[in-house]
Amino acid sequence: MQDETFLVRDCSTKSSAEPYVLVIYYGNKVYNIKIRFLEDSQQYALGTGLRGDDKFDSVQEIIDFYTCVPITLIDGKDKSGIQREQCYLTHPFKLEQKMLLTLSDFNLFV
């Protein structure tokens, strides 16, 4: 998988306040960033809201924005909060990639 590969998935908590997660692969790490739905403004925002609060009218608008502007990635395991990376959303993860990985895991040939 290439750096800056991303996908949007449903949040495992199934919360209306945090309906999705933006998953980014970068530097041999996977970053999971919550996508929040702001009820009062009917908009979306990334993360916890503690570090800036850019708002978007749709999830697609978030993706479009971060293809042009670098997103800051914070390693959740880094307790100091100092270790940060920046990347662009460049490579959408395609379902075909997932299917090929799954098939190869089971040594199946199509």
Side-chain angles (χ1 to χ4, degrees), residues 52-85:
D53 205 11
D54 291 327
K55 296 176 184 166
F56 303 90
D57 291 327
S58 69
V59 174
Q60 185 61 54
E61 197 174 288
I62 293 171
I63 302 304
D64 293 344
F65 181 78
Y66 287 109
T67 58
C68 302
V69 175
I71 188 169
T72 300
L73 305 173
I74 300 169
D75 187 343
K77 295 178 183 174
D78 176 26
K79 301 298 181 204
S80 68
I82 296 171
Q83 192 171 0
R84 297 177 185 204
E85 300 282 350

Side-chain angles (χ1 to χ4, degrees), residues 12-74:
S12 57
T13 60
K14 307 277 192 226
S15 163
S16 60
E18 295 174 347
Y20 306 109
V21 175
L22 174 61
V23 181
I24 303 170
Y25 178 80
Y26 185 79
N28 291 322
K29 293 182 184 177
V30 176
Y31 296 86
N32 292 286
I33 305 168
K34 291 181 181 180
I35 299 176
R36 295 177 292 123
F37 180 69
L38 308 171
E39 189 70 38
D40 56 336
S41 64
Q42 298 290 297
Q43 292 179 303
Y44 294 91
L46 290 180
T48 61
L50 297 175
R51 294 181 178 93
D53 205 11
D54 291 327
K55 296 176 184 166
F56 303 90
D57 291 327
S58 69
V59 174
Q60 185 61 54
E61 197 174 288
I62 293 171
I63 302 304
D64 293 344
F65 181 78
Y66 287 109
T67 58
C68 302
V69 175
I71 188 169
T72 300
L73 305 173
I74 300 169

Side-chain angles (χ1 to χ4, degrees), residues 77-95:
K77 295 178 183 174
D78 176 26
K79 301 298 181 204
S80 68
I82 296 171
Q83 192 171 0
R84 297 177 185 204
E85 300 282 350
Q86 284 196 327
C87 78
Y88 295 89
L89 302 182
T90 307
H91 308 287
F93 186 80
K94 303 230 185 316
L95 183 58

